[in-house]
Amino acid sequence: MNDKVGDVRIALLAALEKVTSETDIEQVRVQFLSRSGAIANLFDEMRSLPSAEKPAMGKMLNELKADAQSAFDEKKKSLSAAKIVGGGPIDLTLPGRPKPVGTKHPLMQTIDEIKRIFVSMGFSVATGPEIETDYYNFGALNFAPDHPARDMQDTFFISKEILLRTHTSPVQIRTMEKQKPPVREIMPGRVYRNEAISARSLVSFYQIEGLYVDQGVSFSDLKGTLVAFARQFYGNDVKYKFRPTFFPFTEPSADMYISCFLCKGKGCRMCKRAGWLEILGSGMVHPHVLKNVGYDTEKYTGFAFGMGMERTASLRYGVDDLRLYYENDVRFLRQF
Ligand code: DAH
C-alpha cells in the first residue's frame, strides 16, 4: 500500500502541473480530493489493514492529504492571478508593439524648405486671411473693375464684396498697410479657385508670395534673389531665364523658368519637350499698388513674386497628378 500512496502523490503533482484552466483544476479536485477521489479511496483501503499497521498508514495518508490540499490551493491561486491579465501570465520580456510614426506632408515639407531659404536671405514670414474682400484680393492690387479674374467662374464669392482669396497677393497689401519700408516678407497660404478638378488643377491649393520693398530696389535685386533661391532649391547647376508677361500688380512682370533638371534641357515628359520649366511669376511692384498702401512712390520701389506649392513640389518629386496631395493615401505619403 505504501507504493500506492507514492503513486497518488506523483500523479496529483503531474496533474496539477498540466492545469491551465478552471475546468482543469476542478477535474483534479474531483479526481484526487473529492469524497470519491483517489485519496478518499486510500483511506477506505486502510480500514482493511491489520490493526498494527493502521496508525503508521493513517499518519502517511494524513500527510498526503495535507500536502495535496496545499499544492492544490497554490495552483488555484496562481490560476486566478493569471486570469486578471487576460487568460495568460504577462510576459514582461516581450518587445512593445511599435506605433507607426507619421511624417510631414510633402506640401508642408516644400513650404518649410522654401521658408528656410528665404529666411536665410533676411525675409520674415507673414500670413493673412483666406476669406478676403474684393478690395484686398483685386482692387488694391490694381485689377481693373472688369478684369476677367473677378469673374464668377474663377472666384468663389461669398457675397458681392467677400470672397475666398484666389491668390496670396492680398497679404502683400495687408503687410504694407501695417508696416513702413523696408518690407521683406514671404507669405505662404491656401488659395481657392472655381475650377474643374483634374490632374493639373485643384479648387484649393497653396501658394508662397514674396515681397521686398525699400529704397533703390531694382530688377537686378529681383533676379539675384530668385536665382539664389532657385539654385538652392532646384540645384546649383540649373540654367534660368525670365520671360515678359502681364500681372496687374507688377510692371514690368516676368515669369521665371529654369532648365529642366530631369533632361538637362534636352526635352522630356516633365518639361513637355520644351527643356524649360516655369517656376514662378514675378515683377516690380506697380506704383498704383504702392500708392494704395500710402507708400511714397518717388522714394520706394520693390519686387514681388508668387509660386504654387503643388506645382513646385511636383517638379521636385516628379508627381504627375496634383490630386494625390489631397487624397491622403498613405502609400503616396509614406514616400516622403
Ligand atoms: N498672384 C499670382 C497668381 O496667383 C502670382 C504672382 C505673380 C504673384 C507675380 C506675385 C507676382 O507677387 O509678382 O498667379
Side-chain angles (χ1 to χ4, degrees), residues 167 169 172 193 207 209 247 249-250 281-283 304-306:
H167 52 178
S169 304
Q172 289 188 28
R193 286 188 200 170
Q207 285 189 334
E209 191 83 11
F247 299 108
F249 37 88
T250 46
S282 65
F305 57 90

Side-chain angles (χ1 to χ4, degrees), residues 175-177 179-181 183 213 290-291 293-297 300:
T175 303
M176 289 190 284
E177 279 182 347
Q179 202 178 321
K180 297 228 161 326
V183 168
V213 182
L290 297 177
K291 259 198 204 106
V293 296
Y295 282 6
D296 180 351
T297 54
Y300 297 114

Side-chain angles (χ1 to χ4, degrees), residues 44-98:
D44 287 347
E45 221 174 287
M46 181 180 75
R47 279 194 217 122
S48 52
L49 284 180
S51 304
E53 291 176 26
K54 276 185 186 165
M57 183 48 70
K59 191 168 174 251
M60 207 171 169
L61 287 182
N62 279 330
E63 270 171 22
L64 171 68
K65 196 178 168 189
D67 290 351
Q69 191 64 50
S70 72
F72 177 86
D73 289 348
E74 194 143 313
K75 187 78 198 181
K76 194 152 183 167
K77 219 158 82 189
S78 75
L79 201 65
S80 56
K83 213 166 86 184
I84 294 168
V85 296
I90 314 171
D91 184 350
L92 295 174
T93 64
L94 276 178
R97 295 195 186 109

Side-chain angles (χ1 to χ4, degrees), residues 199-312:
R200 302 159 139 271
S201 68
L202 300 166
V203 286
S204 167
F205 53 99
Y206 281 86
Q207 285 189 334
I208 281 194
E209 191 83 11
L211 176 70
Y212 178 29
V213 182
D214 200 355
Q215 289 186 39
V217 175
S218 69
F219 198 87
S220 53
D221 294 313
L222 178 158
K223 277 173 82 172
T225 307
L226 295 180
V227 169
F229 156 72
R231 290 208 165 126
Q232 276 199 60
F233 189 77
Y234 290 105
N236 238 333
D237 54 347
V238 292
K239 294 204 197 82
Y240 61 88
K241 67 179 182 184
F242 287 86
R243 205 172 79 170
T245 184
F246 173 80
F247 299 108
F249 37 88
T250 46
E251 181 59 35
S253 307
D255 285 329
M256 183 179 180
Y257 294 78
I258 55 168
S259 53
C260 181
F261 42 80
L262 207 65
C263 62
K264 303 274 176 253
K266 284 193 214 79
C268 67
R269 204 173 65 102
M270 174 96 124
C271 57
K272 294 191 225 85
R273 325 249 154 259
W276 294 95
L277 300 164
E278 188 201 321
I279 59 162
L280 54 83
S282 65
M284 299 305 291
V285 181
H286 199 293
H288 288 177
V289 174
L290 297 177
K291 259 198 204 106
N292 287 337
V293 296
Y295 282 6
D296 180 351
T297 54
E298 294 298 318
K299 206 163 153 197
Y300 297 114
T301 50
F303 70 77
F305 57 90
M307 55 190 144
M309 282 307 98
E310 285 73 4
R311 185 177 155 74
T312 305

